[in-house]
Amino acid sequence: MTDDQLLRQRLHEEFGVLEISPAPVLRVTGRGRGVRARRRALGAFTVILAALAVAAATRFDKTPATARSTVTLNAPDPAAPGGVFASGTADGKPWALAVRNIAAAPGTHWCRAAVMFNGQDGDVLFKTGPGIPSFGNPALLSHIHGFPHVGVVFTQVAMGTTRLALTFPSGRQISAKPVRVRACGTSFNLAGLAYDSRHVPSEIATYTTFGLDESLDVNVAMDTSVFEFTTPGIWMNLDNSRADIAASQAGHPIGTGTVNGQIWHMWASLGLYGQCYTAAGRVPGHGRGQGSECVPVTMPPRTATLTAVAVSSAQTQLPGYAGLVNPRTAYAYATVSDGTTHQVVPVRVAGRVYIALVAPPGCRLSSLSLFDANGHAFASVVNPAQSAQPIPGLP
């Protein structure tokens, strides 16, 4: 383990409880009708929007025309199927933002709404409450697989908002009209945009029939180092609601056991920080360790999507795995590289079906077989685990 990892482990041994850093705070500048005029500290929005451009080597209009991404935006269609509220093309490839149910399979009573980019890389939707600016709580995505120089932003806007606009230092402006989308018994007034992420927006604003309503000014000179630590596929959310943050931090137990005398526990959390897994290990009389991994939010898989989550204690580190399986799964058999096979029972949390398991030291998960309630094997996955990276603020 590195010195940094040892320090993190020591801190968790002393304090014990995982705490995800609070969401960034934004600065709001209200104009226009003056009804919503107010000011808040919103500096982190600058960091994130500017960071979306730092991933590229060139900035602003210095980029040669041949190297620029061509991003188009279609006129929003309120009657578009599948919850689509924004779409277009990027370098000739279609893109779309749509609201999807990321809980169990269609036909069940479980429902959890999320915005998905081309059916992947989801962001869980929380209904905005009173006192939120007219531009809502923007969420931004970059480092998109297959769209290397494209940035995406969406937000819930206030009723009466006629368009959401991004303005660039050159004076160029792109805008989109909001679309009312109903999902999981709730209506969301959503607007979304895509753009060449090598051009830094200087302002995001909402407009009404009376003109400019509220805006965020973007200071591109601020530090932008936060973006390099972000796991690709996870949205940068600017939601300051304590209720939304608490819901996103809440961990639900998905597995526990003992391996080589080390007691382990795993939890799953879903929300503003993506799909996160927390693992804790403890050897009686020798202290404990804890760590988390977060991955992009996805739809329930056809088979299984597991994430490698190391289980650390004061003495050793075990290879752990956590993730989603097909909602049909009643139980699974996991085969480990030492030749042993173990039955794993999934845990259902709000319609999403999770499993967690830990292998002995020096071993790895080789395959996973899924069985339905009738005992029929319906899927088998070889080497099912994917890698993940911790997000800033997580141990």
Side-chain angles (χ1 to χ4, degrees), residues 52 71 95 117 140-144 147-153 166 193-198:
L52 289 170
V71 181
W95 65 267
F117 178 88
L140 302 105
L141 180 67
S142 191
H143 287 321
I144 305 169
F147 295 84
H149 301 302
V150 176
V152 183
V153 58
L166 291 181
L193 291 161
Y195 56 94
D196 186 337
S197 63
R198 290 171 291 187

Side-chain angles (χ1 to χ4, degrees), residues 58-71 90-91 149 172 196 198-199:
T58 54
R59 301 178 62 183
F60 305 114
D61 292 332
K62 296 178 182 179
T63 306
T66 56
R68 295 174 185 170
S69 292
T70 302
V71 181
D91 293 332
H149 301 302
R172 184 174 67 93
D196 186 337
R198 290 171 291 187
H199 297 261

